[in-house]
């Protein structure tokens, strides 16, 4: 199989979808690997490293899009990329289709098979390809949130962990999955007073046992969200419904009751965001203010730490990529429980229920 690695084109995206060692192993498996020049530079991997691994370096992404059967990406395809895709190509990466009708329509028109990392499951009900980037994003949410709390960033001027004689900041984490747990652990480690909320009692029970004493678990209902949001200096949105749009738990009316200069970090922004006032930003221009509340809504947070994120992403994806390339799409989708959930678009139809629910008028299997 011809496998293509284009350079990511999303603003401020520094990750690459395959490490040189991955190229080496795929070539050993009998496949061809075509890497666009400078595709790995943002993560610190040179063209020469890929060349030594047996990959072919090509100058243009258009060549890869036209010639390769399997395209490996990190972030969702940009519209300018999809225009050049060959018909019926397999594309493997994050898609977040439920929040982009134009991208869904373009993928349907190109008849691509969209394998979305964020919806791929395993026999244990986990999302193994979403987990590594969730860990990075969760940790970064506190790192970035703490910075946004500084007065030059229009925040409250609060140090997250406080100092002797001065109370620490209050941090509210909405969602107790991988993102939320990672965020809570880092915030607690910095000395903040942390509240983490979810509707999964068993998950809360587990976190209650393993988290430090300065982390409190609270069941997530509208009254509790309102109560703790008004106390918070920093709120991290970490909600996930695989493949579907994120629920919105904080509306604009609530902002007027919150502390002036409080910070919202919306890690769910790539699935539409969990705050009513969220809109996508970038690492270059990451924040904006609504009703004196600072919003940080960067959809590719892990892209800023490209080397760490690339290594974590590729460690998780390479075993699946090797199986996909070796078995072919149809056999790959059936080889393990949960893998078929990765297929979001195929044969000119939406094949994932979460995406179909967002666009009920588009062709689907549902």
């Amino acid at each position: 199989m011809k496998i293509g690695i284009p350079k990511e084109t999303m603003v401020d995206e520094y990750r690459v979808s395959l490490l040189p060692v991955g190229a080496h192993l795929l070539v050993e498996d009998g496949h061809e690997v075509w890497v666009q020049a400078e595709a790995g530079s943002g993560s610190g991997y040179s063209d020469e490293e890929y060349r030594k691994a047996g990959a072919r370096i090509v100058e243009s992404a258009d060549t890869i899009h036209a010639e390769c059967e399997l395209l490996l990406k990190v972030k969702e395809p940009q519209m300018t990329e999809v225009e050049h895709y060959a018909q019926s190509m397999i594309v493997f990466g994050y898609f977040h289709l439920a929040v982009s009708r134009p991208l869904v329509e373009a993928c349907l028109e190109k008849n691509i098979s969209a394998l979305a990392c964020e919806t791929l499951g395993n026999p244990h009900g986990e999302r193994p390809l979403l987990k590594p980037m969730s860990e990075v994003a969760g940790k970064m949410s506190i790192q970035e949130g703490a910075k946004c709390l500084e007065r030059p960033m229009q925040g409250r001027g609060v140090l997250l962990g406080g100092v002797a004689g001065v109370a620490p900041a209050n941090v509210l984490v909405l969602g107790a999955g991988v993102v939320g747990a990672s965020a809570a652990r880092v915030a607690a480690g910095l000395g903040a007073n942390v509240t983490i909320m979810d509707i999964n009692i068993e998950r809360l029970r587990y976190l209650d046992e393993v988290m430090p004493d300065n982390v409190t678990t609270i069941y997530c209902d509208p009254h509790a969200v309102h109560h703790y949001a008004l106390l918070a200096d920093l709120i991290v949105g970490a909600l996930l419904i695989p493949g579907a749009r994120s629920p919105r738990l904080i509306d604009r009316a609530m902002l007027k009751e919150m502390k002036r200069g409080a910070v919202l970090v919306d890690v769910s922004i790539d699935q539409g965001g969990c705050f009513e006032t969220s809109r996508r930003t970038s690492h270059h221009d990451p924040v904006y203010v609504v009703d004196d509340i600072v919003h940080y809504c960067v959809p590719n947070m892990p892209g800023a730490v490209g080397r760490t994120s690339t290594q974590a992403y590729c460690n998780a994806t390479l075993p699946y990529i090797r199986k996909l390339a070796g078995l072919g799409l149809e056999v790959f989708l059936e080889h393990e429980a949960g893998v078929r959930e990765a297929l979001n678009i195929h044969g000119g139809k939406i094949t994932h229920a979460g995406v179909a629910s967002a666009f009920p008028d588009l062709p689907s299997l549902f």
Side-chain angles (χ1 to χ4, degrees):
M1 184 176 280
K2 288 183 180 179
I3 303 168
I5 317 299
K7 186 172 184 177
E8 296 293 321
T9 61
M10 187 176 188
V11 175
D12 296 325
E13 180 53 65
Y14 301 101
R15 289 170 288 183
V16 64
S17 57
L18 190 73
L19 293 172
V21 66
H24 172 78
L25 292 171
L26 287 168
V27 170
E28 277 197 338
D29 290 342
H31 307 293
E32 293 183 39
V33 178
W34 294 20
V35 179
Q36 185 182 357
E38 300 295 313
S41 61
S43 298
Y45 297 101
S46 67
D47 291 347
E48 185 59 26
E49 289 178 87
Y50 285 101
R51 193 177 284 111
K52 287 181 178 178
R56 173 180 173 182
I57 305 299
V58 298
E59 290 298 322
S60 171
D62 290 347
T63 302
I64 290 175
H65 295 156
E67 299 291 336
C68 292
E69 305 156 77
L70 170 60
L71 192 71
L72 304 182
K73 281 188 55 59
V74 182
K75 283 304 289 179
E76 63 267 19
Q78 306 299 291
M79 295 302 294
T80 52
E81 295 177 88
V82 182
E83 292 172 3
H84 299 282
Y85 283 178
Q87 287 283 329
S88 304
M89 175 185 282
I90 303 170
V91 184
F92 182 100
Y94 296 114
F95 276 87
H96 306 293
L97 291 171
V99 296
S100 180
R101 184 184 184 94
L103 180 57
V104 173
E105 292 177 334
C107 290
L108 290 171
E109 184 178 341
K110 286 290 186 175
N111 195 36
I112 73 166
S113 295
L115 291 172
C117 291
E118 69 270 20
T119 59
L120 185 145
N122 66 15
H124 309 293
E126 301 168 332
R127 305 290 163 185
L129 304 188
L130 184 61
K131 184 178 289 186
M133 294 304 95
S134 295
E135 289 178 312
V136 174
K139 291 182 176 183
M140 284 191 69
S141 70
I142 301 303
Q143 181 174 301
E144 300 300 329
K147 184 68 178 177
C148 290
L149 276 172
E150 296 176 8
R151 193 65 193 134
M153 297 293 288
Q154 303 181 72
R156 285 175 48 75
V158 172
L159 183 65
L160 208 63
V163 292
V166 180
N170 292 321
V171 176
L172 172 61
V173 180
L174 299 173
V178 177
V179 172
S182 298
R185 190 171 289 110
V186 171
L190 290 172
N193 178 35
V194 183
T195 301
I196 186 167
M197 306 183 75
D198 204 285
I199 58 173
N200 186 332
I201 293 292
E202 288 306 313
R203 177 65 174 172
L204 293 178
R205 183 171 287 116
Y206 167 75
L207 292 179
D208 197 54
E209 293 175 352
V210 301
M211 283 289 178
D213 290 342
N214 54 332
V215 177
T216 301
T217 58
I218 297 291
Y219 185 80
C220 187
D221 64 50
H223 290 186
V225 170
H226 183 268
H227 174 77
Y228 286 97
L230 302 193
L231 299 175
D233 298 291
L234 168 62
I235 302 178
V236 175
L239 303 174
L240 174 68
I241 301 176
R245 205 187 191 292
S246 299
R248 290 175 172 170
L249 296 191
I250 293 182
D251 59 22
R252 180 159 188 174
M254 201 181 300
L255 300 190
K256 298 181 185 299
E257 302 179 66
M258 290 171 57
K259 298 176 181 178
R260 302 303 88 196
V263 174
L264 303 180
V265 176
D266 199 340
V267 185
S268 301
I269 190 63
D270 52 12
Q271 289 291 143
C274 55
F275 311 130
E276 183 184 357
T277 45
S278 291
R279 59 176 172 81
R280 292 162 71 102
T281 60
S282 68
H283 289 292
H284 184 71
D285 187 17
V287 301
Y288 61 92
V289 177
V290 177
D291 295 336
D292 295 321
I293 304 299
V294 180
H295 292 61
Y296 180 100
C297 303
V298 177
N300 61 329
M301 290 175 64
V305 288
R307 185 139 183 122
T308 296
S309 296
T310 288
Q311 292 173 357
Y313 175 77
C314 294
N315 289 344
T317 58
L318 183 59
Y320 289 93
I321 292 166
R322 294 181 74 182
K323 288 176 183 176
L324 171 59
L327 298 174
L329 179 61
E330 291 303 327
V331 176
F332 170 73
L333 292 173
E334 301 299 335
H335 91 278
E336 182 180 276
V339 170
R340 179 167 283 277
E341 296 175 47
L343 193 66
N344 281 208
I345 291 177
H346 180 65
K349 294 182 179 180
I350 297 171
T351 54
H352 190 280
V355 180
S357 66
F359 309 109
D361 58 317
L362 295 181
S364 77
L365 297 182
F366 304 94

